């Protein structure tokens, strides 16, 4: 719930509580214009920020946010697991790209390979652009995506197409 921004700390008490309140208040200011749209999603603000945080961490470029949000919405609507590597990494308290098959078995409510639906809470702070993308996910039949080394993203509708994208573009 802490909005990621550059803050002026003049006239702010220099303690963690004051800094936290400043960031929480700013997140509320950012969310206020979108509260009705968030409610229209059928999610609570907490659930919406959880979803949005996954999209935030999965997307390197702005142009991919709405597409990735659409992929995850498609998965949720089909009762598929989200299968987000970054939620597993969050559960493992790691960053990076390397997720092993044994990592995918790690028992955590943040492991979206193991548990359906959204994890129990956000995994990162989110920017306004990601909030907007998640309120307006791109409609498609995509269920999978793979990030190439240059950051471009390949999308696929079937697991077979996705596997082909991975095999032809694996870089890590």
């Amino acid at each position: 719930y802490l909005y990621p921004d550059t803050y002026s700390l003049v006239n702010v008490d220099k303690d963690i509580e004051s800094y936290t309140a400043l960031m929480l208040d700013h997140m509320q200011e950012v969310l206020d214009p979108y509260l009705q749209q968030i409610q229209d999603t059928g999610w609570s603000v907490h659930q919406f920020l959880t979803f949005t945080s996954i999209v935030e961490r999965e997307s390197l470029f702005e142009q991919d946010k709405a597409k990735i949000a659409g992929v995850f919405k498609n998965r949720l609507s089909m009762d598929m697991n989200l299968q987000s590597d970054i939620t597993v990494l969050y559960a493992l308290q790691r960053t990076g790209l390397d997720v092993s098959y044994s990592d995918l078995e790690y028992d955590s409510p943040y492991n979206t390979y193991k548990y359906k639906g959204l994890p129990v809470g956000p995994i990162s702070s989110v920017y306004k652009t990601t909030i907007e993308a998640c309120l307006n996910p791109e409609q498609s039949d995509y269920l999978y995506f793979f990030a190439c080394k240059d950051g471009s993203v390949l999308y696929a509708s079937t697991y077979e197409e996705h596997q082909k994208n991975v095999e032809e573009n694996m870089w890590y």
Side-chain angles (χ1 to χ4, degrees), residues 106-120:
Y106 184 72
D107 192 19
S108 166
Y110 286 97
N111 184 343
T112 57
Y113 279 85
K114 198 167 182 68
Y115 296 101
K116 285 188 178 173
L118 297 171
V120 294

Side-chain angles (χ1 to χ4, degrees), residues 27-28 30-50 52 73 126 131-132 134-135:
M27 176 58 91
Q28 190 62 55
V30 170
L31 286 175
D32 278 345
Y34 302 105
L35 289 177
Q36 184 59 55
Q37 285 177 276
I38 292 169
Q39 185 176 1
D40 292 346
T41 67
W43 285 336
S44 67
V45 170
H46 178 78
Q47 290 168 314
F48 179 75
L49 287 177
T50 299
T52 306
K73 287 286 234 177
V126 298
I131 292 168
E132 292 171 347
C134 290
L135 287 170

Side-chain angles (χ1 to χ4, degrees), residues 8-57:
S8 172
L9 300 177
V10 177
N11 299 323
V12 176
D13 289 338
K14 294 186 176 31
D15 57 61
I16 192 68
E17 291 82 10
S18 299
Y19 295 154
T20 302
L22 181 69
M23 295 174 79
L24 287 170
D25 289 347
H26 190 48
M27 176 58 91
Q28 190 62 55
E29 290 169 14
V30 170
L31 286 175
D32 278 345
Y34 302 105
L35 289 177
Q36 184 59 55
Q37 285 177 276
I38 292 169
Q39 185 176 1
D40 292 346
T41 67
W43 285 336
S44 67
V45 170
H46 178 78
Q47 290 168 314
F48 179 75
L49 287 177
T50 299
F51 178 81
T52 306
S53 72
I54 297 167
V55 174
E56 181 74 50
R57 297 282 294 138

Side-chain angles (χ1 to χ4, degrees), residues 45-110:
V45 170
H46 178 78
Q47 290 168 314
F48 179 75
L49 287 177
T50 299
F51 178 81
T52 306
S53 72
I54 297 167
V55 174
E56 181 74 50
R57 297 282 294 138
E58 287 281 8
S59 53
L60 183 60
F61 299 119
E62 294 297 321
Q63 69 264 19
D64 291 310
K65 290 180 179 188
K67 272 187 180 176
I68 290 171
V71 168
F72 285 135
K73 287 286 234 177
N74 288 346
R75 289 181 185 179
L76 289 170
S77 71
M78 295 179 65
D79 201 31
M80 280 179 70
N81 288 33
L82 286 179
Q83 298 180 335
S84 169
D85 289 358
I86 54 98
T87 63
V88 174
L89 290 168
Y90 182 82
L92 293 167
Q93 300 181 346
R94 285 193 347 235
T95 58
L97 300 170
D98 188 28
V99 178
S100 69
Y101 286 112
S102 65
D103 291 340
L104 301 181
E105 295 300 318
Y106 184 72
D107 192 19
S108 166
Y110 286 97

